[in-house]
Amino acid sequence: MLNSNELTGASETHLTAVDGHKLHPDAAQAYLAMQKAAATNGIELAIASGFRSLDRQLSIWNRKWRGKLPLLSKQGEPLDVSTLTDTEKMHAILHWSALPGSSRHHWGSDFDIYDPLPFQSNELKLRLVPAEYTDAEGPCHTLWQWLTQHAHESGFFFPYARYQGGVAQEPWHLSYRPVAKECHQQLNLELLAETINSLAIEGKHIILENLEQIKKQYIDTITEDDGWTNIWCGY
């Protein structure tokens, strides 16, 4: 069980280093086992992003709110921040980026995965968009196919395997269920409110007014199954 600072990304005392990133020790051990299993099948996998601190998530949020980073529609099209209400801006950010203090990346149980081989030259750059994984010609498609069938064997699942009205589809995002499930249960509204109140975060008033909805729509709405079953059923 993580303490409140670890749970909200304010502390890194629950983490260990693996492949140049930081993960929860249990998730790290499971990742290495999965990496080894993939290698026996000729599949190479690497971590694109592991632990993300509260400060980093806050920076992303504030820069998006201020228009310093691109703000996108659900279809991935650029939005004009100046034309949006605070509520619209909040939802636009939450579709693509976690609320600071609530990111699954804070827990060390979750990470973004990719196939490093196609990106060894400078000709191709990883963008972390679904087409790189789900399209037959995508550079990470073979890896994704293998993961959808085997990641659950090491205790991992895809929390954003498909869009369900909250966070956008993220076929690169894996979660180590034994750790993530416990952390998810710990992350209650009271702790979220305390965290947001303590931050110099843009849009604080509108976040606090909508915090219950945010938790339900963007934090609690995940793909509870292994993900791969419903993907292959055409969802």
Side-chain angles (χ1 to χ4, degrees), residues 11 34 71 75 115 131 162 184 210:
S11 172
M34 180 174 64
L71 199 57
Q75 293 72 39
D115 179 350
R162 55 192 180 275
H184 193 172
N210 291 275

Side-chain angles (χ1 to χ4, degrees), residues 44-63:
E44 186 164 348
L45 59 87
I47 297 173
S49 178
F51 169 74
R52 195 172 301 146
S53 71
L54 175 60
D55 285 344
R56 182 180 174 195
Q57 201 69 39
L58 176 62
S59 175
I60 293 170
W61 178 278
N62 283 345
R63 283 183 290 159

Side-chain angles (χ1 to χ4, degrees), residues 131-150:
E132 292 174 318
Y133 295 77
T134 59
D135 286 5
E137 301 301 319
C140 296
H141 184 68
T142 299
L143 167 64
W144 177 75
Q145 284 186 307
W146 186 87
L147 289 171
T148 58
Q149 298 176 63
H150 297 287

Side-chain angles (χ1 to χ4, degrees), residues 146-193:
W146 186 87
L147 289 171
T148 58
Q149 298 176 63
H150 297 287
H152 68 284
E153 295 168 1
S154 297
F156 291 97
F157 74 107
F158 295 83
Y160 309 120
R162 55 192 180 275
Y163 176 61
Q164 299 186 128
V167 177
Q169 181 192 29
E170 295 187 353
W172 54 82
H173 186 133
L174 284 178
S175 182
Y176 184 58
R177 190 186 297 276
V179 173
K181 183 177 180 180
E182 186 175 87
C183 291
H184 193 172
Q185 292 172 343
Q186 285 183 258
L187 192 66
N188 55 47
L189 278 172
E190 182 181 4
L191 178 57
L192 285 171

Side-chain angles (χ1 to χ4, degrees), residues 15-191:
L15 305 173
T16 189
V18 57
D19 279 5
H21 297 272
K22 297 175 181 178
L23 297 178
H24 186 285
D26 294 349
Q29 183 177 5
Y31 161 74
L32 291 173
M34 180 174 64
Q35 187 183 54
K36 183 177 180 180
T40 63
N41 288 273
I43 304 292
E44 186 164 348
L45 59 87
I47 297 173
S49 178
F51 169 74
R52 195 172 301 146
S53 71
L54 175 60
D55 285 344
R56 182 180 174 195
Q57 201 69 39
L58 176 62
S59 175
I60 293 170
W61 178 278
N62 283 345
R63 283 183 290 159
K64 285 193 173 185
W65 190 278
R66 296 166 185 157
K68 302 297 183 182
L69 287 178
L71 199 57
L72 305 177
S73 70
K74 291 179 181 178
Q75 293 72 39
E77 300 168 349
L79 295 171
D80 183 351
V81 176
S82 66
T83 67
L84 304 178
T85 67
D86 283 354
T87 300
E88 290 171 335
K89 197 185 306 184
M90 177 191 74
H91 284 292
I93 296 174
L94 287 169
H95 182 73
W96 300 103
S97 300
L99 180 70
S102 75
S103 174
R104 299 177 69 92
H105 285 272
H106 293 334
W107 308 337
S109 59
D110 289 50
F111 52 87
D112 301 333
I113 206 81
Y114 77 111
D115 179 350
L117 292 179
F119 304 96
Q120 289 182 340
S121 69
N122 294 326
E123 297 179 2
L124 195 61
K125 184 176 181 181
L126 182 68
R127 295 181 296 145
L128 288 180
V129 295
E132 292 174 318
Y133 295 77
T134 59
D135 286 5
E137 301 301 319
C140 296
H141 184 68
T142 299
L143 167 64
W144 177 75
Q145 284 186 307
W146 186 87
L147 289 171
T148 58
Q149 298 176 63
H150 297 287
H152 68 284
E153 295 168 1
S154 297
F156 291 97
F157 74 107
F158 295 83
Y160 309 120
R162 55 192 180 275
Y163 176 61
Q164 299 186 128
V167 177
Q169 181 192 29
E170 295 187 353
W172 54 82
H173 186 133
L174 284 178
S175 182
Y176 184 58
R177 190 186 297 276
V179 173
K181 183 177 180 180
E182 186 175 87
C183 291
H184 193 172
Q185 292 172 343
Q186 285 183 258
L187 192 66
N188 55 47
L189 278 172
E190 182 181 4
L191 178 57

